[in-house]
Amino acid sequence: MSSKVETIERFILDSQPDYARGEFTNLLYDIALAAKIISHKTNRAGLTDILGEVGAVNVQGENQQKLDVYADDVIFRMCDHTGRLCAMASEEKEEMIAIPEQFKKGSYILVYDPLDGSSNIDVNVSIGTVFGIYRCRDWEHRGRLEDILQAPRRLVGAGYVLYGASTILVYSTGNGVHGFTLNPELGEFLLSHEYMRFPEPPTYYSVNHAYFERWAPETQEFLRWLQGRRGDDAPKLSSRYIGSLVADFHRNLLRGGIFCYPGELDKPNGKIRLLYEAGPLAFLAEQAGGYASTGTGSILDVEPTELHQRTPFFVGNRSLVYKAESFIQAGKQGG
Ligand code: P6P
């Protein structure tokens, strides 16, 4: 835990490279402000009329929760007119989001899941926002779909906001992972976790065991290993699965562990979305000394072809994710 009292704005300013022109820095400020606004609403979800469903279904075929729609709208309105972005993509929107004609286009792309884990909103379990930032590929033609469909290795920044017992914003711009906890009285995110890294040895594994029969044999074998039922080199882990990816990821980052959402026999790409969930978290994981895999290779190297494409997802301590790859690749080679 950090001891110095430093706001996120101060930290961003102090850590920006000399050549930075402020556009990227200001984009991070915008995201922090959106997080404060969403946090304010989330913490009062039980008291104001924003619980429950809007009666609409989003592009994922999921019932949209009112807080989902609210969070999506806040992020869009915080970022559409600032001149920092040339396009956006949201989990809640089927198509890419162009910057309205009347506003100047910047050179950055924002991809985001405005409120991940929304099925937990009405039962008061932690939920989160995930975001990733790319630079446009071609300034003259910025704002096209190819600016959004970039491999996560090309991210220039990524982070998440966890709305839980407290609200914490965790981000990286490629120089370590840093966490800021919101002080509601001050309305400031204060540095609370500097240079976060997956600790060794790991403590937890996270997976939905209810799907065990849906997994390929090699995946089942890996889960048996995680449980200490195979071989004598398994770590002594405890199981924790919240059903909110951001909350599971954050806990595993602090305590060490692996989050698994494997592909299934009839859904080989699983559930987790590449662009605005797995990619940004993979960027953070590597910055924190961990690793993220599809089961056969780094998430960072997956070239997206569609906005909402899904991917099998194993993320956390490097040693555990490598082990997942070894079981899965052996199984695929008939080992
Ligand atoms: P399941 C939430 O909808 C989410 O995308 C992640 O936050 C979470 O880890 C996962 O789905 C839970 O999915 O199928 O285990 O309920």
Side-chain angles (χ1 to χ4, degrees):
M1 291 283 273
S2 177
S3 57
K4 56 185 175 182
V5 178
E6 185 161 4
T7 65
I8 191 169
E9 288 80 5
R10 178 81 258 156
F11 188 90
I12 291 168
L13 209 55
D14 291 348
S15 51
Q16 71 173 355
D18 297 342
Y19 59 79
R21 297 192 321 275
E23 193 178 64
F24 183 57
T25 300
N26 288 328
L27 173 55
L28 291 171
Y29 293 163
D30 298 340
I31 293 168
L33 182 52
K36 291 177 192 175
I37 296 170
I38 296 167
S39 173
H40 177 78
K41 214 60 159 179
T42 306
N43 289 342
R44 287 153 185 76
L47 305 174
T48 54
D49 179 30
I50 50 175
L51 281 182
E53 299 177 0
V54 292
V57 173
N58 68 11
V59 62
Q60 319 298 338
E62 296 162 345
N63 289 324
Q64 274 190 314
Q65 303 283 340
K66 289 179 183 175
L67 213 49
D68 268 356
V69 173
Y70 176 82
D72 187 50
D73 186 48
V74 164
I75 295 171
F76 172 74
R77 287 191 294 115
M78 287 304 300
C79 297
D80 70 333
H81 61 286
T82 59
R84 327 245 213 247
L85 301 176
C86 55
M88 291 184 254
S90 166
E91 194 246 9
E92 296 296 334
K93 296 283 190 312
E94 183 152 6
E95 305 300 332
M96 64 172 273
I97 304 165
I99 298 302
E101 278 308 311
Q102 67 268 34
F103 299 134
K104 183 170 78 75
K105 277 185 189 171
S107 50
Y108 292 98
I109 295 285
L110 179 68
V111 296
Y112 61 96
D113 183 353
L115 215 59
D116 175 73
S118 50
S119 57
N120 286 314
I121 293 172
D122 289 357
V123 294
N124 207 22
V125 167
S126 300
I127 49 185
T129 297
V130 186
F131 65 90
I133 302 169
Y134 290 100
R135 197 172 281 111
C136 66
R137 290 178 190 268
D138 169 0
W139 172 259
E140 289 310 310
H141 303 93
R142 64 195 181 284
R144 299 180 301 183
L145 186 58
E146 45 263 57
D147 284 328
I148 297 180
L149 298 179
Q150 299 188 56
R153 197 172 292 283
R154 293 170 59 90
L155 283 162
V156 293
Y160 61 83
V161 186
L162 180 58
Y163 310 99
S166 59
T167 295
I168 185 167
L169 190 157
V170 175
Y171 85 93
S172 175
T173 55
N175 182 23
V177 177
H178 311 289
F180 300 81
T181 300
L182 183 62
N183 177 322
E185 283 72 45
L186 299 177
E188 290 286 359
F189 277 109
L190 301 181
L191 180 65
S192 52
H193 301 74
E194 199 169 5
Y195 290 105
M196 301 172 80
R197 294 186 69 80
F198 287 97
E200 292 287 352
T203 308
Y204 297 116
Y205 77 92
S206 308
V207 72
N208 189 334
H209 282 288
Y211 305 154
F212 187 85
E213 294 309 321
R214 303 182 193 175
W215 298 330
E218 57 270 18
T219 305
Q220 294 174 336
E221 202 59 5
F222 170 59
L223 263 297
R224 290 188 187 99
W225 177 83
L226 275 180
Q227 294 170 320
R229 297 160 58 195
R230 282 292 177 282
D232 54 8
D233 60 342
K236 300 278 178 284
L237 300 177
S238 185
S239 169
R240 288 283 187 287
Y241 189 77
I242 296 179
S244 263
L245 169 56
V246 172
D248 280 321
F249 181 91
H250 184 69
R251 183 206 52 249
N252 291 351
L253 175 56
L254 289 176
R255 298 287 182 267
I258 182 172
F259 172 93
C260 312
Y261 206 107
E264 298 168 9
L265 294 171
D266 65 348
K267 272 196 318 185
N269 288 331
K271 175 179 186 182
I272 304 301
R273 274 67 61 139
L274 172 67
L275 197 61
Y276 38 74
E277 290 176 337
L281 294 180
F283 179 89
L284 290 174
E286 291 229 357
Q287 281 292 315
Y291 175 52
S293 175
T294 63
T296 57
S298 175
I299 289 280
L300 293 181
D301 295 326
V302 179
E303 290 289 348
T305 53
E306 290 159 31
L307 281 184
H308 303 290
Q309 76 185 62
R310 300 173 191 269
T311 177
F313 192 40
F314 301 84
V315 62
N317 287 64
R318 189 168 283 272
S319 55
L320 294 177
V321 182
Y322 281 164
K323 199 71 177 176
E325 287 186 334
S326 63
F327 273 95
I328 290 169
Q329 284 161 348
K332 288 185 183 305
Q333 289 149 14

